Amino acid sequence: DWEAHPRLRDKYQPAQWAYIPATLDDNPYLDDEYELSLAVLAPWRYEQLRHGDWRVFVGQFFGTFNERRHVKDLGPLGGDVAWFRAMDWGYNKPGCWGFYAILPDGRLYKRADRKFLSESVQTNVVELRKTTAGLDIPKARYNVADPSCFIKTGLVGQHEARMIGQSIGETFALNGIPLVRGENDRYNGWQRLHDLLRDAPDGDPWILFHPSCKYTIRTLATAKSDPKDPDDVDTDSDDHALDE
């Protein structure tokens, strides 16, 4: 993550490295019953040793997230798809846009994400349109955003509680991207995401992620529970894609 470790950019070239995983299935000398010895382990440890999934760990908030099952390229989507975009705003801290398709069977499909930092609203709108066009999204039905985008500051007069100034949401609207105020109820939001990660009656998850959603996939996999509140994500972690 170059944003977290910018000084290492010149010391590490990803193209020079390759990860070659090995699982039990690659070892012809193991006894057929060996897998049963792993069945008594904690689920996260089983995933590590049985499938080589080192993204799982103790204290993982989204323990049901499984990259092998939740990350898929569905290819070109047909016309019977509704699109929307979601945004967690950030300037000094990162923000994130998500591009979602509501599939005919009711599933959500996150087609792409866009992480940004220190952008003006105008620049953000330009990049948003560019990403949307590159994904061949015909039209987004709505754009839902963090409620903080609608906050105004600056009281007028000693007795008049009228807020002045232009909110971030209003600036987006003036640049052609109207925003809908979202809800930032963390407990209900996390539970909603837990439910979406579970399987639908046909056995596939209710939400899927395109492989290009690298930021979202990474933060879903590494999110930890708050040590003082197990039902909330640790806010010291990089949770902007999760908030979005």
Side-chain angles (χ1 to χ4, degrees), residues 56 142 200 238 242:
V56 296
Y142 63 90
D238 187 354
L242 305 182

Side-chain angles (χ1 to χ4, degrees), residues 91-166:
Y91 187 83
N92 291 315
K93 288 186 177 181
C96 183
W97 273 103
F99 303 79
Y100 294 86
I102 305 174
L103 304 181
D105 61 5
R107 279 184 172 80
L108 281 181
Y109 181 45
K110 189 168 188 179
R111 178 59 183 82
D113 58 20
R114 180 179 179 269
K115 186 179 182 181
F116 57 87
L117 183 69
S118 301
E119 286 186 354
S120 68
V121 171
Q122 290 80 4
T123 299
N124 194 276
V125 167
V126 170
E127 295 299 324
L128 174 66
R129 287 177 172 148
K130 186 185 302 183
T131 303
T132 302
L135 297 171
D136 291 326
I137 296 176
K139 183 179 180 181
R141 288 193 175 183
Y142 63 90
N143 306 285
V144 62
D146 181 352
S148 65
C149 291
F150 303 90
I151 295 175
K152 294 184 179 183
T153 60
L155 289 175
V156 180
Q158 185 174 359
H159 305 291
E160 186 180 3
R162 181 171 63 87
M163 297 303 227
I164 62 172
Q166 190 178 107

Side-chain angles (χ1 to χ4, degrees), residues 24-25 27-38 50:
L24 302 189
D25 307 303
N27 190 336
Y29 303 104
L30 282 180
D31 187 278
D32 292 339
E33 299 295 312
Y34 179 77
E35 183 180 0
L36 294 177
S37 68
L38 304 179
R50 174 61 185 90

Side-chain angles (χ1 to χ4, degrees), residues 164-216:
I164 62 172
Q166 190 178 107
S167 70
I168 294 171
E170 289 174 331
T171 308
F172 267 98
L174 290 171
N175 281 270
I177 304 294
L179 302 180
V180 177
R181 184 190 300 266
E183 292 187 20
N184 55 357
D185 181 338
R186 293 174 70 85
Y187 291 101
N188 286 314
W190 298 146
Q191 184 58 49
R192 176 65 171 158
L193 188 47
H194 281 307
D195 292 340
L196 287 170
L197 290 169
R198 297 186 186 280
D199 289 346
D202 63 3
D204 288 329
W206 281 109
I207 187 169
L208 298 170
F209 303 87
H210 188 275
S212 65
C213 299
K214 294 182 178 181
Y215 177 49
T216 302

Side-chain angles (χ1 to χ4, degrees), residues 24 35-53 56 68:
L24 302 189
E35 183 180 0
L36 294 177
S37 68
L38 304 179
V40 299
L41 299 175
W44 61 272
R45 188 60 171 155
Y46 176 84
E47 286 294 320
Q48 289 179 339
L49 298 182
R50 174 61 185 90
H51 299 294
D53 187 354
V56 296
R68 297 192 309 277

